[in-house]
Amino acid sequence: MAGAMALPGLARAQAATEVRVIIQFGVSYLPLMMIEEEKLLGAALAEQGDPRVEVKLQRVSGSNAVNEGLLAGTADMGVMGSPSLLILAEKSRGAFKGLAGCSSFPMVLNTVLDRVKTIADFQPQDRIALPATTSPQNLCLRMAAEKTLGDAKKLDANVVNLPHPDAMAAMLSGTEVSAHFTNAPFDQFEADDKRVHRVLSSEDVLGRASTFVLLAASTRFVDQNSKVSAAMVKAMEAAMRRIKADPAKAAALYLKQEPSKSLSPEYVERILRDPENVFSVAPGGVMAYADFMQRTGQLKTKPAKWQDPFFPFIQERQGS
């Protein structure tokens, strides 16, 4: 990755007329959708007397595509998990940092196996599906294995990489997958099936609610657009307040941006009202991830405090 740090595309960051943000698909990214749809960034800038700039979302599949867009300079900001941010910030030597937390939806390990009450009950033939070996879900599973089984790699041979829709379908159809480490809305879909029960969640592993995805940005963009970047944090907070105040309206906005044949407005509203699913700009669980990643060789050094891989706009918040 170090060789990609020339970042020629980032030269256009100065005097931004729009903020290009890469997201993936799902309700976890709703604050960014609301900022784009309701022009909240422009409103935040207008409040402080600055020229209006708006968000333009780019949707991709997979965390690698988010990183590639940021590194190539085809986007100014991107949404990723805390582990990805820690790796990107270290390898780029601070050329990318976190701007704000986005959502703290728990990751949930579900299974259809009655005999599995804890991860110690998984047998060699049991297959645990998750999106990628580099995903937060896999990192969380390894942390749980270290804590419960004494070996972070104990369940590596059980893991299969599948996109969430495919993994859910495989588990519920009773084929090769017997467990699925997932997140909203798939954990809610699975929980509605009486054959499924929860084995653990990321909160069980980390000891608290943790950030699922966060908004990261290039240092060059932030340095050259500090007012826009500060306004972006304000816009994120405004979007989160609107989601909390009117989940029904927020659900309708989500389905306008991402139409779905399987999700009804009522079902999305139910997800948004679930107290486990929180939108917050304050990141949580960053140091827990960093400690494990440094100990297992994914990071050379861990940050001294959670604020280190973040820009100053949220550093006074109660993060961890």
Side-chain angles (χ1 to χ4, degrees):
M1 185 180 292
M5 289 302 118
L7 305 176
L10 289 177
R12 56 82 62 195
Q14 193 166 8
T17 57
E18 67 178 14
V19 181
R20 304 163 301 167
V21 183
I22 302 181
I23 66 171
Q24 296 184 60
F25 295 87
V27 70
S28 303
Y29 305 90
L30 181 54
L32 278 304
M33 299 178 201
M34 184 167 284
I35 290 173
E36 181 186 50
E37 186 76 23
E38 301 194 348
K39 302 187 182 304
L40 298 183
L41 177 58
L45 286 166
E47 285 181 3
Q48 57 195 43
D50 293 311
R52 297 181 75 94
V53 175
E54 299 299 347
V55 163
K56 179 66 175 177
L57 295 181
Q58 306 171 14
R59 284 177 171 81
V60 299
S61 295
S63 56
N64 286 342
V66 176
N67 289 347
E68 288 169 3
L70 288 173
L71 290 169
T74 57
D76 309 302
M77 300 180 184
V79 181
M80 62 186 64
S82 298
S84 293
L85 172 69
L86 289 165
I87 293 171
L88 186 61
E90 180 178 78
K91 289 190 174 182
S92 70
R93 299 181 181 179
F96 299 92
K97 292 184 178 182
L99 188 66
C102 186
S103 60
S104 298
F105 288 24
M107 296 175 287
V108 176
L109 177 59
N110 287 327
T111 187
V112 291
L113 297 175
D114 291 337
R115 61 176 165 78
V116 174
K117 308 303 180 186
T118 75
I119 61 171
D121 299 322
F122 282 115
Q123 297 177 4
Q125 73 273 17
D126 299 329
R127 292 293 171 259
I128 304 169
L130 44 78
T133 54
T134 56
S135 66
Q137 287 88 350
N138 194 54
L139 191 66
C140 200
L141 183 64
R142 283 187 165 186
M143 293 171 77
E146 181 186 64
K147 182 178 179 180
T148 303
L149 308 175
D151 181 358
K153 298 182 179 180
K154 185 71 173 179
L155 295 173
D156 282 4
N158 295 78
V159 168
V160 294
N161 298 329
L162 286 173
H164 288 305
D166 296 341
M168 180 177 70
M171 184 179 73
L172 296 181
S173 67
T175 56
E176 76 277 9
V177 170
S178 50
H180 181 202
F181 213 149
T182 187
N183 47 268
F186 304 100
D187 58 324
Q188 284 85 1
F189 284 144
E190 293 170 359
D192 289 340
D193 191 308
K194 294 181 180 179
R195 299 170 297 169
V196 175
H197 68 272
R198 179 183 293 194
V199 180
L200 57 76
S201 75
S202 52
E203 292 187 13
D204 298 327
V205 179
L206 296 168
R208 56 153 293 160
S210 62
T211 296
F212 176 53
V213 289
L214 53 84
L215 182 63
S218 75
T219 298
R220 188 167 197 167
F221 179 88
V222 171
D223 288 347
Q224 296 178 341
N225 298 277
S226 59
K227 290 184 177 181
V228 172
S229 301
M232 189 67 175
V233 177
K234 292 182 179 179
M236 291 281 285
E237 291 182 298
M240 292 169 185
R241 288 194 297 269
R242 293 190 183 198
I243 294 168
K244 185 176 182 179
D246 196 341
K249 182 178 179 181
L253 185 149
Y254 169 70
L255 290 175
K256 178 183 177 182
Q257 288 239 348
E258 291 186 10
S260 171
K261 294 181 179 179
S262 56
L263 286 172
S264 67
E266 294 76 18
Y267 203 94
V268 176
E269 182 181 350
R270 171 185 155 191
I271 293 171
L272 297 179
R273 290 187 181 277
D274 188 330
E276 280 194 322
N277 299 329
V278 176
F279 294 102
S280 173
V281 298
V286 176
M287 292 306 293
Y289 282 123
D291 180 68
F292 178 80
M293 292 169 71
Q294 189 273 331
R295 195 168 63 253
T296 55
Q298 292 173 278
L299 292 176
K300 291 182 179 179
T301 59
K302 72 173 184 178
K305 54 187 184 300
W306 74 261
Q307 290 92 337
D308 289 350
F310 285 84
F311 294 107
F313 307 107
I314 60 166
Q315 291 190 358
E316 298 302 318
R317 306 303 174 92
Q318 295 298 312
S320 65

